[in-house]
Amino acid sequence: MSKIIITNIQKTEFEPYQVLNCSADFSVIEKNPDKFQIFTNTDNGLVTIELNKEDLKQLLNKIQETLR
């Protein structure tokens, strides 16, 4: 199981910093050349995160640093 921590949300049904348990499978869709969606199923339903290309790059770099 993975965890997603919501830190900036607009939906009122999630608390800030709420931990959501999700499946290990994440899907990434390129919506256009500068916008990507990452989504996964959680114990509270589907969670979708939209990132621009630079934010996605930063996320991937943080993941690589963590795995070293």
Side-chain angles (χ1 to χ4, degrees):
M1 293 293 253
S2 309
K3 291 184 180 176
I4 296 175
I5 299 174
I6 305 295
T7 57
N8 184 10
I9 59 171
Q10 296 177 354
K11 293 185 178 183
T12 57
E13 62 263 21
F14 293 120
E15 294 294 323
Y17 302 99
Q18 175 181 348
V19 176
L20 302 173
N21 295 312
C22 58
S23 66
D25 296 329
F26 290 84
S27 299
V28 179
I29 295 176
E30 183 178 3
K31 289 185 70 175
N32 63 49
D34 192 50
K35 188 171 277 188
F36 295 84
Q37 277 188 337
I38 301 172
F39 60 93
T40 187
N41 285 316
T42 73
D43 52 351
N44 278 333
L46 182 69
V47 170
T48 303
I49 302 167
E50 284 197 10
L51 299 171
N52 63 34
K53 196 172 193 173
E54 186 58 37
D55 289 338
L56 182 60
K57 242 187 239 185
Q58 288 178 19
L59 175 61
L60 292 173
N61 287 337
K62 286 181 182 180
I63 290 170
Q64 287 176 344
E65 287 173 15
T66 302
L67 295 175
R68 289 183 192 162

